[in-house]
Amino acid sequence: PGKARIELPAPAPQDTVEQAADFEPYRRYYLAHQRDMNANIGPLRASLRAALSRRSPALARLAALDAVMEQALAERERALLATVPGWLERRFAHLFQAHQAAQADADATDDPAHWMRPDGWLAAFCRDMQTVLLAELELRLQPLAGLIEALDNEMGKQQ
C-alpha cells in the first residue's frame, strides 16, 4: 500500500553492458505505477459514485450502472493492462538491439553511462514508457471523467 517509491531506473556507473541492459528494473517500475493507479483510482471512482447517488435519482441510476460496468469489465481490463509490460520489454529489446547494431557498425565501445543522454536509446525507451503510463492513466480515468461530466450536466440543469 502507498505510493510507489521506485524511481525511474537508470544504469549505475559501475554497471556492465549486460547489467545495464536488464529490463527487470523497468518492469518493476511500470508494475508499481500500475498498482498505484489501481489503488488510487478505484476508491476515487467509488466516492464519485456515492456523491452522484446523493444528487438525484437519475445520477443514482448512472452510478449503479457504472458500478455494474466496472465489475463486468474489470477482469478484462486487468488482463489487457497486464500485457503492457511484455510489450514494453519487446520495445526495450528492439531499441537495445538497434543500439548494439549501430555500435558494431561504428566499431565503437559501448558505455551505459551514455544511454540516458537525450539522444540515447535508453532515454528514448524511458520517454516511450512514460508516454504509455500516461496513456494508461488516461484510459483508467475515462469513466471518472464521464461521471464528472454527468454531474456537471445535472448541476447545469438545476441552475
Side-chain angles (χ1 to χ4, degrees), residues 7 50 93 95:
E7 302 239 350
L95 289 172

Side-chain angles (χ1 to χ4, degrees), residues 1 7-8 18 20-22 25-26 30 41 45-46 51 59 72 79 88 99 103 113 127 130-131 146 151 156:
E7 302 239 350
L8 183 64
E18 293 76 23
D22 182 16
Y26 301 93
Y30 197 89
I41 292 173
R45 190 171 179 180
L59 289 178
L88 286 170
H99 166 75
Q103 292 293 111
R127 286 189 300 272
Q130 290 174 329
T131 299
L151 180 60

Side-chain angles (χ1 to χ4, degrees), residues 23 27 30-31 81-92:
F23 178 73
R27 179 187 314 280
Y30 197 89
L31 291 173
L81 292 175
T83 66
V84 173
W87 288 98
L88 286 170
E89 185 172 15
R90 286 191 281 286
R91 176 71 175 150
F92 183 92

